[in-house]
Amino acid sequence: MGGHFSGGGYGNLMRKYDLSVDNIIDAEIINANGTVRNRESIGEDLLIKLVPVPETVTYFKVERTLEEGVTDIAYQWIQVADKLPEELFIRAQPRVGQIHDKKTVTVLFIGLFLGLAEDLIAVMNRGIPELGLQLKDCKEMSWIETELAFAGFPEGTPLDVLLNRTTSVSYFKYKSDYVREPISKASLEMIWKEMMELGKMLMQWNPYGKRMSQIPESAVPFPHRAGIIFKIQYIFFWKEDGKEARDTVMGIVTRMHDFMTPYVTKTPREAFLNYRDLDIGNTVNGNKDASVYGIKYFMGNFQRLLNANSKADPDNFFKSEQCIPPHLPY
């Protein structure tokens, strides 16, 4: 849980209720000296506040291809993703696929609406009519059941599967970006072309806006707030062992990330802490890279974190490959 909160803790309710870290009331932590501290002794609002959700919500997952006009649909999604009602979260997931032995790009649109299906259709007809969402595409269920659906479990899977911590053996690499300016249709077509050339990858585009835009950047360490349209997660999986397989994938990773440079944030190129990306700097050879990754992850809050850690952990006991050091080298 601590790792989830330290990165902000985002989920499908964030446009309505902010991040997990925005809802922490109290917590007990152990500092480098072994002392247990809580909100009172720390002096800051650090327990999780439960938020209400309707007994019945609506989930949908529809896929569109290039041949079905997905570029127009994705373009419209970009225009409204951060402006749709706060009760609606729609993830767009571009990926490379095959249709009749022909490589193409498909986009999955996966949505959670805090309300009933009929009301969702009315919202979608106003917001993204190009998607053509219909009642038959929608499933009404409890909120916890939507968590199984978002995770890819088939309908009817028992809820206790959430207690199963075993995973299949594979390798993965994540990277992240944030988008503040709309991407044009022509640029989307260029992105699709690059994806088809590279092959082994998918992206998740997670919408921001509404409540996420109302919290000041300085409220908590997580700074990516007002002005963010969506966050990109680049996802790469492979199962082959060995350096050759890894180097191949990392080449694809680097090329796609470089290709996206014109379309994402700049100075800094913002990044999401919990997709730990050692490519943007690490402490293996000392703390000289700390300000590089620190500013990408925390922006203007990085200096505050340095000051806080110099008091809380002056000897850098809780060090990691991308820690906040107690001080920077001169």
Side-chain angles (χ1 to χ4, degrees):
M1 296 295 286
H4 178 68
F5 298 150
S6 67
Y10 85 91
N12 307 331
L13 298 177
M14 68 182 189
R15 303 187 69 248
K16 174 77 171 177
Y17 294 116
D18 321 313
L19 304 172
S20 300
V21 73
D22 297 318
N23 291 284
I24 295 178
I25 298 172
D26 200 355
E28 290 187 344
I29 65 172
I30 302 175
N31 67 15
N33 298 320
T35 304
V36 178
R37 307 183 71 186
N38 60 14
R39 172 183 175 179
E40 183 177 354
S41 60
I42 294 170
E44 293 187 16
D45 290 346
L46 281 175
L47 260 168
I48 290 296
K49 179 170 63 181
L50 298 179
V51 296
V53 294
E55 183 176 343
T56 301
V57 301
T58 304
Y59 168 87
F60 68 87
K61 180 171 70 173
V62 294
E63 187 172 35
R64 299 291 185 261
T65 67
L66 290 177
E67 292 73 18
E68 294 171 319
V70 77
T71 301
D72 290 338
I73 300 170
Y75 175 77
Q76 186 59 33
W77 179 91
I78 291 170
Q79 307 307 306
V80 303
D82 61 327
K83 303 174 185 67
L84 290 168
E86 62 185 11
E87 293 82 9
L88 180 57
F89 175 96
I90 305 175
R91 170 183 292 161
Q93 188 166 292
R95 60 183 181 180
V96 178
Q98 294 275 141
I99 295 182
H100 305 305
D101 297 325
K102 179 185 177 183
K103 191 177 289 188
T104 187
V105 167
T106 68
V107 181
L108 273 174
F109 295 91
I110 312 171
L112 167 65
F113 179 64
L114 301 180
L116 301 179
E118 286 189 356
D119 296 327
L120 169 61
I121 294 299
V123 171
M124 293 297 290
N125 285 342
R126 292 192 299 269
I128 316 181
E130 294 84 353
L131 184 60
L133 191 71
Q134 301 178 39
L135 274 176
K136 65 181 179 63
D137 302 316
C138 305
K139 297 183 185 297
E140 294 180 346
M141 58 183 72
S142 67
W143 170 78
I144 191 63
E145 289 173 320
T146 70
E147 290 299 295
L148 295 180
F150 268 94
F153 291 102
E155 188 175 357
T157 299
L159 292 178
D160 59 11
V161 72
L162 295 170
L163 302 176
N164 182 3
R165 308 302 295 173
T166 60
T167 59
S168 58
V169 177
S170 64
Y171 303 99
F172 66 90
K173 169 69 177 178
Y174 294 160
K175 291 184 80 70
S176 62
D177 265 319
Y178 284 90
V179 176
R180 291 182 179 269
E181 299 293 333
I183 301 174
S184 69
K185 289 183 184 180
S187 296
L188 285 174
E189 290 172 349
M190 292 171 64
I191 292 170
W192 306 153
K193 181 180 178 182
E194 185 73 4
M195 288 180 66
M196 286 189 287
E197 288 184 8
L198 294 175
K200 281 187 175 181
M201 69 161 300
L202 64 88
M203 289 189 275
Q204 286 186 351
W205 296 356
N206 293 295
Y208 276 46
K210 293 301 179 181
R211 187 60 182 152
M212 284 294 292
S213 296
Q214 299 166 11
I215 305 294
E217 290 183 2
S218 59
V220 297
F222 182 96
H224 317 289
R225 302 286 189 170
I228 297 292
I229 301 175
F230 62 98
K231 171 170 62 69
I232 300 176
Q233 181 183 12
Y234 305 89
I235 304 173
F236 305 83
F237 289 107
W238 72 101
K239 293 192 174 184
E240 301 83 4
D241 294 324
K243 183 176 182 299
E244 182 177 350
R246 178 188 180 279
D247 289 349
T248 298
V249 173
M250 293 305 293
I252 294 172
V253 171
T254 301
R255 177 173 159 180
M256 190 68 210
H257 194 251
D258 288 347
F259 181 85
M260 293 296 291
T261 301
Y263 314 118
V264 300
T265 54
K266 302 168 183 65
T267 52
R269 185 171 183 171
E270 300 171 49
F272 179 52
L273 174 67
N274 276 6
Y275 297 159
R276 293 287 185 180
D277 184 4
L278 299 184
D279 300 342
I280 63 176
N282 58 72
T283 59
V284 172
N285 296 313
N287 295 331
K288 60 183 177 65
D289 286 345
S291 62
V292 178
Y293 63 75
I295 290 173
K296 289 176 180 288
Y297 288 146
F298 302 110
M299 297 175 65
N301 298 325
F302 178 61
Q303 187 61 51
R304 292 173 57 197
L305 291 169
L306 280 174
N307 295 340
N309 206 39
S310 67
K311 300 173 184 177
D313 188 14
D315 298 320
N316 207 20
F317 178 81
F318 293 110
K319 62 185 176 182
S320 69
E321 290 175 307
Q322 285 189 333
C323 63
I324 302 294
H327 56 80
L328 293 176
Y330 293 106

